[in-house]
Amino acid sequence: MAAIETAALTKEYGDVRAVDGLSLTVEEGEIFGFLGPNGAGKSTTINVLLDYVRPTSGDVSVLGIDPRERPEAVRARLGVLPEGYALYDRLSARKHVRFAAEMEGVDVDPEAVLERVGIADDADRAVGGFSKGMTQRLALGLALVGEPDLLILDEPSSGLDPNGAREMREIVREERDRGATVFFSSHVMEQVEAVCDRVGIMTDGDLVAVDTVEGLRGRLGAGSTLVVTVDAVPDTSGVEAIDGVTGVTVRDDALRVSCTDPGVKAAVIERVSAAGATVRDIDVEEASLEDLFTEYTGGGTDPGSGAPTEVSEA
Amino acid sequence: MSARALTIARKDLTDLARSKLLWGAALVMLALTVPQTYDEATSSWDVLVDGTQDQLLIPFVLFAGPVAIVAAYASVAGERESGSLRVLLSFPTDRGAVLLGKALSRTLLLLAVSLGTYLVLGGVLIQAYGTLDGAEYLLDAGLLAAFTFAWAGLSVGVSAAVATKVRAVAVLFGLYLALGPLALWKATVVRLVGALVEGPGFDPSELRGLTNAGSETPEWYLYVGRLNPVQATLAANDWTSHSLTPSAWSTGHGSLTHNAFGVAAVVAWGVVPLAIGYWRFGRADLG
């Protein structure tokens, strides 16, 4: 059974079609990165999974249950870090965790939960005085209460500093290793790249690609770039003649050789040496998913579109 | 559902206890009722406890509405607007339990404020007169509880039925004015029913009040008039004053049936908005 399954899911707000015929499957036990620019329909999809909004048409199943019919049964097995949430300003972090435990019907040590998300020292402070990052840590902690089978995290790294984002990824991996499925959305490619087993890229209300990070790289076509640092730049015509090399650029004392076939790297180095240069260093730059993301979501590739796709932290 | 509703209600009360709302509402209620009752009790006008006790509920009829509106207009709409509802609904519960929990906590809060104040007023009476009419005091306490519940249910129900706090306040304040000070009930509902029953020439301004109805007062009005919770409460208060201690100068306060219907109408003003709120909240997009 899939952890999440949608079929031909559509959600319209008046004239706006936020989700357009989405068919998505997230397998049990995987970390699935749900990637897309702001406004792609990621949060609307998550809102449907959580039964915060009702779809216009299509089917939804979360852990085999239709959230529209049995929201309570779905939520009993979910841990959620929603988008656009707020906590109770007057209550302490500890009281929040106690409340979550009571709602989940479990017995937890609030101290341990807060320790895990790194805010144990502030357990007794009212959260009204918390920074955005601390609030986000507490909200993540609340999602972990009750050892959920499925974690749905909407933009979990927003508001977190790099350290916090790294700790968040660490927790995501721990939860996966415990056996949970993790579904998290982001518009920041590197968050997804670092932790996800599979990635789905959404734009304009539908998925345009679903694959493993490696699989997506393979699809990129541009292949990898071999960077060869040399003592003196030789004649590069011999390198360019190799089958599988699509281009060579020279910057300072480095040759950047674009290869579509990974097997040609040895030949490239051989030719560089043969041309009379001493190779000092070799580096391989994989095509970044950021490039792929940009390619799929149309940002920057369409000269008529004007502004590039927004991918910065909101 | 009910266990989670209780958890939500308890958390809501913990939260409220830390807010100025609870204490503010209690203080306002005391300030609006105690001095007035004390003055009346110590003036030379009412030499017997009856006169003062009969008036005990009047300030509540005026102020319980606004206090309930302030205490509950944001109960659901506020959480929806801020986003804390998204966290609440991420736990194993459903929207019905959230609404039930909120209705419970705000009703309990408002009952504590109303009945607590009423208890103080009883103390003022005993202080001034050395006695009070126990049966009437208890019946009026029940009436006050019903009226307070009506405003609590109405406020929470409207808060659940609309998307924002501003809309909740607008609807509630409008209802308060329409049911009370503006006497819109008589000009609209009573006029409409009267035209249907009595014919198009019916003039509602010729009707006498529910507390001094005469033999010419049509029977239907004794019911339709009591569909307004403010009028029903005033009429029932008059009934508890005079049917327990018969008074020569007030006989038009309706029968037990009329007033039991009135109290049922008061309770319905709490239940029906909650049902409408449940229906609308259950179908709303909380995106």
Side-chain angles (χ1 to χ4, degrees):
Chain A
M1 185 191 60
I4 296 174
E5 194 150 26
T6 75
L9 182 69
T10 297
K11 176 61 187 180
E12 289 167 358
Y13 291 103
D15 294 340
V16 182
R17 188 168 280 197
V19 178
D20 188 3
L22 176 70
S23 294
L24 165 75
T25 304
V26 176
E27 301 297 342
E28 277 192 358
E30 70 175 337
I31 302 178
F32 189 95
F34 196 40
L35 194 69
N38 290 330
K42 303 187 302 288
S43 288
T44 303
T45 304
I46 289 176
N47 283 340
V48 169
L49 299 177
L50 301 175
D51 190 47
Y52 293 169
V53 308
R54 308 279 161 61
T56 309
S57 63
D59 291 317
V60 195
S61 158
V62 179
L63 299 163
I65 306 166
D66 186 339
R68 284 168 294 187
E69 284 165 13
R70 293 168 58 212
E72 188 174 339
V74 172
R75 290 169 187 153
R77 298 176 56 195
L78 281 188
V80 182
L81 176 59
E83 163 253 20
Y85 68 90
L87 298 175
Y88 299 97
D89 285 354
R90 288 181 291 264
L91 300 183
S92 68
R94 189 194 304 276
K95 281 221 159 62
H96 274 84
V97 177
R98 283 221 183 100
F99 175 58
E102 207 172 330
M103 290 296 287
E104 297 282 354
V106 295
D107 209 13
V108 298
D109 174 14
E111 212 71 40
V113 173
L114 297 173
E115 184 71 54
R116 193 165 172 210
V117 293
I119 51 170
D121 291 343
D122 299 291
D124 294 311
R125 271 179 61 196
V127 307
F130 275 21
S131 69
K132 180 82 178 70
M134 288 164 73
T135 307
Q136 188 78 351
R137 283 165 182 262
L138 175 55
L140 178 63
L142 297 180
L144 298 175
V145 170
E147 302 206 331
D149 295 330
L150 170 61
L151 271 166
I152 295 184
L153 314 173
D154 201 349
E155 299 281 355
S157 56
S158 80
L160 294 179
D161 55 26
N163 216 19
R166 186 182 48 72
E167 287 173 40
M168 186 273 299
R169 289 197 296 270
E170 203 53 51
I171 288 174
V172 164
R173 282 194 201 96
E174 286 165 17
E175 289 296 298
R176 191 257 323 265
D177 294 344
R178 176 175 66 75
T181 308
V182 184
F183 179 78
F184 85 87
S185 82
S186 181
H187 61 257
V188 185
M189 190 69 217
E190 57 184 19
Q191 287 292 337
V192 170
E193 193 173 358
V195 73
C196 289
D197 299 318
R198 283 202 309 150
V199 177
I201 298 180
M202 190 173 194
T203 185
D204 292 332
D206 201 5
L207 282 175
V208 288
V210 183
D211 210 334
T212 59
V213 171
E214 289 315 307
L216 284 176
R217 278 214 182 89
R219 287 200 206 185
L220 192 56
S224 53
T225 303
L226 184 64
V227 182
V228 186
T229 309
V230 291
D231 59 342
V233 177
D235 174 26
T236 60
S237 57
V239 176
E240 279 167 49
I242 300 171
D243 209 19
V245 169
T246 52
V248 180
T249 54
V250 179
R251 189 182 297 160
D252 299 329
D253 54 354
L255 306 178
R256 299 174 61 84
V257 184
S258 304
C259 322
T260 50
D261 177 359
V264 300
K265 286 174 193 139
V268 169
I269 291 158
E270 216 165 276
R271 291 278 172 95
V272 170
S273 302
T278 304
V279 176
R280 292 203 165 137
D281 196 10
I282 301 165
D283 200 9
V284 179
E285 286 179 5
E286 294 288 344
S288 85
L289 283 185
E290 196 72 53
D291 303 335
L292 187 76
F293 180 49
T294 308
E295 187 166 294
Y296 271 117
T297 56
T301 55
D302 175 10
S305 71
T309 307
E310 178 66 57
V311 289
S312 62
E313 192 81 34
Chain B
M1 173 173 129
S2 54
R4 260 76 189 226
L6 282 178
T7 304
I8 291 168
R10 199 172 327 122
K11 198 246 14 166
D12 197 40
L13 285 171
T14 316
D15 195 16
L16 287 171
R18 281 154 198 268
S19 80
K20 294 168 190 86
L21 193 66
L22 170 72
W23 313 110
L27 278 176
V28 166
M29 210 57 163
L30 285 168
L32 290 171
T33 55
V34 175
Q36 190 183 336
T37 302
Y38 181 79
D39 285 350
E40 200 172 330
T42 51
S43 75
S44 55
W45 184 254
D46 276 313
V47 289
L48 297 173
V49 68
D50 291 354
T52 307
Q53 189 172 351
D54 291 352
Q55 304 296 312
L56 220 50
L57 286 193
I58 305 299
F60 291 100
V61 171
L62 269 178
F63 302 125
V67 169
I69 292 173
V70 169
Y73 79 98
S75 55
V76 180
E79 292 225 23
R80 188 167 161 185
E81 234 177 325
S82 78
S84 53
L85 186 62
R86 298 171 145 274
V87 174
L88 198 51
L89 283 178
S90 75
F91 300 128
T93 184
D94 57 28
R95 300 181 193 192
V98 170
L99 182 56
L100 185 61
K102 289 287 181 179
L104 265 175
S105 59
R106 305 295 162 129
T107 300
L108 282 176
L109 168 81
L110 289 164
L111 281 177
V113 169
S114 277
L115 295 176
T117 307
Y118 186 70
L119 210 61
V120 173
L121 297 188
V124 170
L125 287 190
I126 290 176
Q127 177 75 25
Y129 299 102
T131 180
L132 53 68
D133 182 335
E136 184 183 347
Y137 186 78
L138 285 179
L139 274 177
D140 282 353
L143 193 54
L144 176 59
F147 189 70
T148 303
F149 165 72
W151 275 104
L154 180 60
S155 301
V156 174
V158 168
S159 188
V162 299
T164 64
K165 290 186 285 184
V166 171
R167 281 183 218 171
V169 168
V171 172
L172 288 167
F173 191 60
L175 278 171
Y176 173 73
L177 290 179
L179 294 172
L182 292 183
L184 274 179
W185 194 260
K186 214 167 179 178
T188 55
V189 178
V190 172
R191 181 189 296 273
L192 197 71
V193 177
L196 288 173
V197 177
E198 309 283 339
F202 175 75
D203 180 5
S205 62
E206 286 172 9
L207 289 170
R208 294 167 75 171
L210 288 171
T211 54
N212 64 341
S215 55
E216 79 289 357
T217 305
E219 182 70 8
W220 62 263
Y221 175 62
L222 297 179
Y223 291 100
V224 174
R226 284 182 169 84
L227 287 175
N228 176 330
V230 172
Q231 293 304 318
T233 303
L234 288 173
N237 179 44
D238 192 62
W239 183 83
T240 61
S241 305
H242 296 111
S243 54
L244 297 175
T245 49
S247 157
W249 47 269
S250 179
T251 51
H253 43 71
S255 68
L256 174 63
T257 312
H258 293 135
N259 287 295
F261 174 84
V263 173
V266 170
V267 172
W269 271 95
V271 174
V272 173
L274 280 176
I276 294 170
Y278 175 72
W279 193 85
R280 283 185 52 96
F281 184 51
R283 276 153 191 78
D285 272 347
L286 307 173

